[in-house]
Every structure is written in C-alpha cells, then in structure tokens.
C-alpha cells in the first residue's frame, strides 16, 4: 500500500516537472494571427490617436468580421521607467491601459513590442534585465500579443543565446496567466524555425524587413520562406513579415499576388497600411473571405512550390477538407496562357475548380487547367 502511494506520488511529481511551455503556447494562434501593425506605414509616427483610428476602422470596415483581431503597436511607444523600474509609455502614449481598454471595447485584441536588448531598434527602452517586470506590466495593461525584436540584444548576447533569451520572455509571459501571443523577431537568424516553437514562439520572422515594393515581396515570399513548410503548424508559424498591401506603389495585381502568396504560406496576416484611409480595392484584397480561408485553414499546412518555369511559379497548399489551394503566379510581364497538369498538383483526373479572386466556379475540369495570369499577378484556385 505504502509502495503504491509512493509510486503515485513520484508519478505526480514527474508530471508536474515536465515542461509544458511548448504545448501551452500552441493553444493560442491555432491559425496564423490576423490583425494590423503600426510599423510598415507609420514607423515612429505612431501615436495613441493613430492606433485608435485603426481599431475604429478594423471594427467597422468588415475586417473584424473577416477575422482580423489584433491591433499591434510596434516600436516607438516607450517612455522612461519609473523609480521602481516600471516601463511607461512616452508622450504619444499617455495612457496604455486606456488605449488597450479602447481596443478591447471594439471587440479587438491589443499587441505591443519590445526587445530583449537594452534598446529597441529605434533606440527606445528595451526589456533587458526587466523581462519579468515588463511581462507583468503588459499583462496589467491587458495586452494580448508581444513582438520581441532582437535589435540591440546583439550587444549583450551571442547569437547562440537566442533560444534561451526568447524562452525567458515566453516563460515570463506565461507566468502572467494571460494568453499572450509571442512573436519572435530576429530576422531568421540561427534557423529560428528549428527552435522557435520550443522557445515558446507562436510565430517567428524568417527574414529581414519587408519593403513596400514588388521585389521585396517576391524575395521574402518565394525566397526565404520556400521550403520551411515542415516547421509551420497550428500554434507556430513561419512569418515572412507583415503585409504591404495598400502601401507604396503596389498595383492591384501586385496586392493580390502578395495576399495570395502569404495565404499559401499560412503566414500571419498583419495589415501594414492605414486602415482609416484606404481605397475599396485595397480593402477588398484584405477581406476576400475565400482567400483568407486558405491562410486560416485549420489543417495549418504551409503551401509549397510544385512547379517553376521562368516567371511562372505554381504552389499547392493542402486544406483540411481534402481540397487543395493552388496558386499560379506570374512574377514577370505579360505571358501566354499557362497550362498546369493536374498530376503536377497531385489532384485526381477530375477536379471541381473555383477561382478565388473572380469568385467564379470553373466547373469540373479534366487533366489540366489553362489560365491567363496577369503580369505580376496570380490565379488562385481551390480544387476539390
Ligand atoms: C525591425 C523589425 C521591424 C520593426 C522595426 C522597429 O527590426 O524587423 O519589423 O519592428 O525593427 O524598429
């Protein structure tokens, strides 16, 4: 009797000592996070008023209904620490708690940004030696998401310290008892996809910063992210960086290509434009439900390239209902119609095909599909 109690006691102790951080972090962000982030357009011009305006827009323009949830403040919100070392907002963010309450009142979630180093990339106060205190502060304010950007951490740590440094903040966030999405930003160094989930990350950047131009989108989407699909899945995602849809001089076709590629990559979808001032074409690209469904598919498989010929790239993403998303991309100028064989896509001899940007059923096709793909554009299909 004593013996079996002892065994039970030991079993309980062993269970308690197992590190469940990976399992816990996987409970949030079951599909790639969707929201908005201030950096791509506003950079250090971000303010409380700008952020509130984005929350107002997201809550009322159809984005929230389409699944966008996070309103994320990036760099440049930080002020000084008080006598106890608590971080405070700067003059552009006079009351962080009130801001978060406002975002929550719109039925949205709130995100914040810091660095494991002494300073952020823009030179503001980082979390170095204040990790636990900052995590508590973010939770007290009510934040639901933290982007943690390496920046000046390189002056106090070695690259090989990264997993432990990120795990430290992940543990601190978990200790708050709040569900906080943890976004790793260290530009893909040290093959972060191989350790990001174990360090508690729900997403990790795979590359340097995106820019609001077509070549940057091609480089990040087709380049660094290709081939990383086995590291992505529910709760932990490769992040080719935030969206530039609606920024710079991207054309309508380039915006669609960008959105389609990110959806095929099961990428986090953080709009980076001014949601309060965008034209209907940009909004329609951001809120196409059938395209978002590819990104948000519950299976959580990142798509992969199956065919490439000159400027034409064909990608497939298996979906939870057994159908497949197929992206036929034209990275170059005007082309003749493209024919893709079903065997290349590993779909059967016949397939029901739907075009997700035109919203048209193309019917039951046999053996192949032929489509005209515009310059810098895409034909995005769902095949069953
Ligand atoms: C970069 C980061 C950007 C943005 C910026 C802020 O390192 O990749 O996404 O957060 O810092 O200073």
């Amino acid at each position: 009797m004593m013996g079996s109690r002892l065994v039970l006691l030991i079993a309980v102790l062993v269970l308690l000592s197992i590190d469940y951080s990976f399992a816990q972090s996987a409970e949030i962000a079951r599909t790639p996070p969707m929201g908005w982030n201030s950096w791509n357009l506003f950079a250090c011009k971000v303010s409380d008023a700008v952020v509130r305006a984005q929350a107002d827009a997201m809550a009322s323009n159809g984005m929230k209904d389409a699944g966008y949830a996070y309103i994320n403040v990036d760099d440049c919100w930080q002020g000084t620490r008080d006598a106890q070392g608590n971080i405070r907002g700067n003059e552009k963010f006079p009351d962080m708690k009130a801001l978060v309450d406002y975002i929550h009142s719109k039925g949205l979630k709130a995100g914040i940004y810091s660095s494991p180093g002494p300073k952020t990339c823009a030179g503001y106060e980082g979390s170095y030696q204040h990790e636990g205190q900052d995590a508590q502060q973010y939770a007290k304010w009510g934040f639901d998401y933290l982007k943690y950007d390496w920046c000046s951490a390189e002056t106090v740590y070695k690259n090989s310290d990264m997993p432990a440094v990120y795990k430290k903040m992940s543990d601190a966030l978990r200790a708050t008892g709040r569900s906080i999405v943890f976004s790793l930003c260290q530009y893909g160094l040290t093959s972060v996809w191989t350790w990001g989930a174990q360090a508690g990350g729900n997403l990790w950047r795979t590359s340097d910063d995106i820019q609001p131009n077509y070549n940057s989108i091609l480089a990040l989407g087709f380049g660094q992210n290709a081939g990383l699909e086995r590291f992505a899945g529910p709760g932990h995602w490769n992040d080719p960086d935030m969206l530039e849809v609606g920024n710079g001089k991207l054309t309508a076709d380039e915006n669609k290509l960008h959105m389609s590629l990110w959806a095929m990559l099961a990428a986090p979808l953080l709009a980076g434009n001014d949601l309060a001032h965008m034209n209907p074409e940009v909004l329609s690209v951001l809120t196409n439900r059938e395209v978002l469904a590819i990104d948000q598919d519950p299976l959580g498989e990142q798509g992969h390239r199956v065919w490439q010929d000159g400027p034409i790239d064909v990608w497939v993403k298996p979906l939870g209902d057994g159908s497949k998303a197929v992206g036929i991309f034209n990275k170059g100028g005007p082309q003749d119609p493209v024919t893709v064989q079903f065997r290349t896509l590993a779909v059967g001899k016949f397939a029901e095909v739907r075009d997700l940007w035109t919203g048209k059923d193309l019917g039951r096709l046999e053996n192949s599909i032929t489509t005209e793909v515009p310059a810098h554009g895409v034909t995005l299909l769902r095949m069953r």
Side-chain angles (χ1 to χ4, degrees):
M1 196 56 190
M2 265 311 275
S4 61
R5 280 209 192 137
L6 191 64
V7 170
L8 190 65
L9 182 66
I10 291 171
V12 168
L13 287 176
V14 167
L15 281 175
L16 287 176
S17 69
I18 291 175
D19 183 358
Y20 289 110
S21 57
F22 174 44
Q24 286 190 7
S25 68
E27 276 162 25
I28 39 180
R30 299 297 299 168
T31 59
M34 289 173 64
W36 172 87
N37 174 293
S38 56
W39 184 255
N40 281 1
L41 185 66
F42 293 95
C44 280
K45 295 202 185 90
V46 67
S47 66
D48 178 288
V50 163
V51 175
R52 285 176 193 241
Q54 306 306 310
D56 290 343
M58 185 183 283
S60 60
N61 68 7
M63 288 181 74
K64 179 182 157 192
D65 295 338
Y68 290 86
Y70 292 94
I71 293 285
N72 294 352
V73 181
D74 205 277
D75 207 348
C76 310
W77 64 267
Q78 307 87 336
T80 53
R81 293 185 182 275
D82 69 13
Q84 286 72 45
N86 297 310
I87 187 72
R88 295 175 293 198
N90 58 35
E91 61 291 349
K92 290 188 298 165
F93 289 90
D95 189 340
M96 294 303 272
K97 175 84 173 68
L99 176 59
V100 174
D101 287 348
Y102 185 79
I103 294 169
H104 285 165
S105 78
K106 298 274 157 181
L108 300 169
K109 295 179 177 179
I112 194 157
Y113 165 101
S114 190
S115 169
K119 296 283 174 209
T120 66
C121 292
Y124 290 78
E125 190 70 18
S127 293
Y128 183 57
Q129 291 177 338
H130 291 275
E131 295 81 0
Q133 192 175 20
D134 285 358
Q136 291 295 336
Q137 183 64 76
Y138 305 150
K140 228 180 278 168
W141 283 333
F143 279 102
D144 310 288
Y145 188 117
L146 172 67
K147 173 174 167 184
Y148 206 41
D149 192 354
W150 192 244
C151 306
S152 74
E154 67 177 16
T155 63
V156 289
Y157 297 117
K158 299 190 294 291
N159 275 4
S160 57
D161 296 331
M162 280 180 183
V165 170
Y166 277 95
K167 179 76 163 50
K168 183 174 192 179
M169 184 48 106
S170 158
D171 289 346
L173 292 176
R174 199 153 25 90
T176 68
R178 218 183 145 75
S179 272
I180 299 177
V181 171
F182 190 35
S183 160
L184 274 50
C185 178
Q186 41 78 287
Y187 339 112
L189 295 170
T190 71
S191 304
V192 59
W193 41 89
T194 62
W195 56 263
Q198 280 79 6
N202 297 113
L203 58 154
W204 46 82
R205 281 270 298 279
T206 52
S207 58
D208 269 333
D209 291 17
I210 196 165
Q211 304 296 332
N213 65 66
Y214 181 60
N215 284 339
S216 171
I217 290 159
L218 293 190
L220 301 194
F222 291 110
Q224 273 105 317
N225 254 263
L228 298 183
E229 51 274 5
R230 73 193 164 92
F231 301 103
H236 50 99
W237 308 100
N238 291 312
D239 175 11
D241 208 356
M242 304 168 293
L243 295 169
E244 294 283 12
V245 172
N247 285 342
K249 295 197 172 77
L250 295 176
T251 65
D253 279 322
E254 289 168 347
N255 280 330
K256 284 184 193 164
L257 178 146
H258 181 14
M259 196 70 193
S260 304
L261 184 54
W262 263 235
M264 292 298 285
L265 290 167
L269 298 178
L270 293 166
N273 60 325
D274 183 354
L275 307 184
H277 303 95
M278 67 176 145
N279 65 43
E281 172 256 311
V282 170
L283 180 62
S284 75
V285 171
L286 288 172
T287 53
N288 181 316
R289 300 281 182 116
E290 292 185 277
V291 176
L292 294 174
I294 302 304
D295 181 78
Q296 295 290 303
D297 184 74
L299 193 60
E301 266 206 48
Q302 177 174 325
H304 58 279
R305 176 187 279 125
V306 294
W307 192 55
Q308 196 177 16
D309 186 12
I312 304 296
D313 241 72
V314 181
W315 288 59
V316 171
K317 181 182 196 285
L319 304 172
D321 65 355
S323 63
K324 282 181 176 164
V326 175
I328 306 171
F329 297 92
N330 173 11
K331 298 183 280 184
Q335 306 289 326
D336 291 338
V338 181
T339 297
V340 180
Q341 301 298 329
F342 286 179
R343 64 176 129 69
T344 308
L345 310 172
V347 297
K349 188 172 163 62
F350 296 96
E352 295 284 343
V353 183
R354 185 167 166 80
D355 184 322
L356 304 186
W357 284 115
T358 63
K360 287 206 179 96
D361 283 325
L362 306 183
R364 188 165 189 259
L365 305 188
E366 187 178 351
N367 286 331
S368 67
I369 174 158
T370 298
T371 175
E372 263 179 64
V373 191
H376 292 196
V378 62
T379 298
L380 188 64
L381 306 167
R382 189 163 182 142
M383 292 196 176
R384 188 187 298 276

